[in-house]
Amino acid sequence: MDLIWKNMIRTMHPHEFTRNLGLTRIIQPSVQNAAQAEKVCAERKIALAMHLYFMDMLEQSVAFATKFPPQTDVFISTDSAEKKVQIEAAFAGEKLHSVTVFVVENRGRDVAAFLCDLAPHLQGYDYACFMHDKKAIQTKPGSVGASFGYVCNENVCKNAAHVLNVLCEFENDPYLGILCPPYPSHGLYFLNMCSGGWGPNFENTKKLLKELGLNVPISGEESPIAPFGSVFWFRPKALQPLFQHGWHHEDFPPEPLPQDGTISHAIERIYPFVAQAAGYYPAVVMSSSFAVLRSDTMQAYATGMIRPLARVFDCTTYWAASTAAIAFAAKRHLFGVYGPYANTRRRHARNWLRDNLPAPAYKGLITTKRAIFGPRHGPYED
């Protein structure tokens, strides 16, 4: 089995085997193995790295940290001495092994703080988590950005039992290198993430891999199993090739940071490939309650995309769908008929009006018809 795992990690894109082997971790909200969890906390070194910028989110950040076991060492970066005082006061008295706060240069945001200032302190730890107070203020409306933060925090650190169960996942699988929350699929993120998650960042990620001297399978056709949002679990050993690069804040663009396509966005996507180069694999982690929400949401998305096709084609069998598609194309080309659903007088009349009236007149007519006779909800298919 070791030979299989090592060869698979060395030669395959992680997306292939993590999906085919069902390696996504679904974490329960109660401790699954109390004896093992206690042993892990006693015998392994656990760290939490945090970059805190928004003081109006400080209470939430403290709540995140207090879900970790009392043996955890916490390393926090922020951008001013005033914020450091507030953070130290907020964490005073919390049941954590140690809390250390650093004032760092305000350039490169959480990614630069993680690699330049926090990573050097994580050497020698067995398991670690990185988080930052994610607000995504560039995304409008603000609820969309806030929901991105929810996706990250809910699946990385739902509650104290969730944290212990995640630690046991690492303990039970020596090849597990990084656990990422699922990519966001709501709002404006849907098209980007569901189309691969690369955006304009494939070439700059490949370039960074080359600069790091890493040779791993990477493809623009397969999504990176990456911590979008930069909140994730990892083994520090798995990210050593990245940590040892010698990062400086000058490597990152100054503010205002572009919304996409920067070195920070490349780093966000390179984590799983770095872990793979170190002999580990990445996987997705979800709380059990979020997994249900995710499944229902994806089913709704699929239904929303497929339903318009089902109205036009009989999609119950491959043969029916293919013959309906051919018939639809022939009818549309030869007779201007819009498919099987058009075979009623009412629909024939509507289609004729749509084709022969000016668009504003047709829209006004249909709006009036719907106001009087219905239907009064749902999209009006063309």
Side-chain angles (χ1 to χ4, degrees):
M1 287 301 296
D2 282 343
L3 288 174
I4 293 173
W5 273 108
K6 289 177 181 178
N7 187 68
M8 197 162 57
I9 292 171
R10 180 176 59 85
T11 61
M12 295 175 66
H13 192 290
H15 192 276
E16 297 173 2
F17 60 83
T18 56
R19 301 302 187 205
N20 291 334
L21 296 178
L23 297 178
T24 294
R25 290 344 198 251
I26 306 299
I27 306 299
Q28 300 301 321
S30 57
V31 177
Q32 299 299 289
N33 189 332
Q36 184 185 36
E38 183 178 355
K39 184 177 180 181
V40 169
C41 293
E43 298 181 358
R44 305 300 184 195
K45 295 186 68 177
I46 305 164
L48 170 61
M50 312 175 78
H51 179 66
L52 305 184
Y53 180 83
F54 299 105
M55 291 299 98
D56 59 326
M57 297 181 67
L58 182 56
E59 183 178 349
Q60 300 175 39
S61 300
V62 174
F64 186 102
T66 55
K67 297 171 187 175
F68 279 68
Q71 296 86 351
T72 304
D73 291 323
V74 183
F75 301 95
I76 303 173
S77 61
T78 191
D79 68 320
S80 73
E82 292 78 12
K83 291 181 181 178
K84 177 183 178 181
V85 172
Q86 294 182 57
I87 293 169
E88 289 175 336
F91 276 85
E94 297 296 343
K95 295 180 180 179
L96 295 161
H97 185 256
S98 67
V99 178
T100 309
V101 185
F102 308 94
V103 177
V104 304
E105 184 178 347
N106 187 25
R107 179 164 174 169
R109 299 185 185 177
D110 57 283
V111 177
F114 177 52
L115 294 180
C116 300
D117 306 294
L118 297 174
H121 299 279
L122 304 179
Q123 309 297 322
Y125 283 88
D126 296 293
Y127 311 126
C129 176
F130 176 63
M131 73 83 68
H132 64 107
D133 43 7
K134 185 167 184 59
K135 188 176 276 192
I137 56 177
Q138 76 278 6
T139 306
K140 305 298 182 182
S143 59
V144 174
S147 294
F148 194 168
Y150 167 78
V151 171
C152 295
N153 296 340
E154 166 73 10
N155 294 294
V156 168
C157 182
K158 179 179 178 66
N159 58 23
H162 183 106
V163 171
L164 294 177
N165 290 334
V166 167
L167 292 170
C168 289
E169 290 290 338
F170 279 99
E171 187 73 10
N172 292 330
D173 189 343
Y175 295 104
L176 178 61
I178 180 171
L179 277 177
C180 315
Y183 58 77
S185 58
H186 64 282
L188 296 175
Y189 300 111
F190 177 74
L191 290 178
N192 181 30
M193 296 303 178
C194 291
S195 63
W198 284 109
N201 298 291
F202 181 64
E203 292 300 328
N204 59 3
T205 304
K206 282 206 307 181
K207 179 182 177 183
L208 182 55
L209 277 173
K210 187 175 181 179
E211 292 175 0
L212 295 173
L214 305 181
N215 183 22
V216 293
I218 182 172
S219 169
E221 300 300 316
E222 294 186 283
S223 302
I225 303 176
F228 298 104
S230 295
V231 179
F232 60 103
W233 284 95
F234 62 98
R235 295 179 193 265
K237 287 182 180 179
L239 297 185
Q240 283 305 306
L242 186 63
F243 291 167
Q244 294 172 354
H245 181 59
W247 293 95
H248 300 90
H249 285 270
E250 293 74 23
D251 297 325
F252 299 84
E255 297 289 345
L257 189 68
Q259 287 195 20
D260 212 344
T262 70
I263 184 67
S264 295
H265 297 95
I267 291 170
E268 190 177 46
R269 289 157 176 80
I270 208 173
Y271 290 124
F273 300 105
V274 173
Q276 187 179 7
Y280 301 90
Y281 74 88
V284 172
V285 61
M286 285 188 277
S287 70
S288 57
S289 56
F290 187 88
V292 173
L293 175 65
R294 178 84 162 184
S295 175
D296 290 346
T297 301
M298 288 302 178
Q299 182 62 51
Y301 286 162
T303 301
M305 290 186 288
I306 296 300
R307 189 177 180 185
L309 293 177
R311 288 173 174 171
V312 177
F313 306 128
D314 176 7
C315 298
T316 55
T317 66
Y318 176 80
W319 173 253
S322 60
T323 54
I326 294 170
F328 174 82
K331 288 180 180 180
R332 180 70 183 92
H333 178 71
L334 296 174
F335 308 109
V337 177
Y338 292 84
Y341 75 87
N343 293 326
T344 65
R345 290 182 179 179
R346 180 178 63 84
R347 299 229 175 194
H348 273 297
R350 191 198 66 190
N351 292 341
W352 184 90
L353 290 171
R354 178 181 57 191
D355 292 343
N356 291 276
L357 289 178
Y362 172 74
K363 183 177 180 180
L365 180 65
I366 293 300
T367 301
T368 303
K369 176 263 176 190
R370 293 192 71 184
I372 299 173
F373 300 105
R376 296 178 176 80
H377 58 83
Y380 196 86
E381 73 277 6
D382 286 328

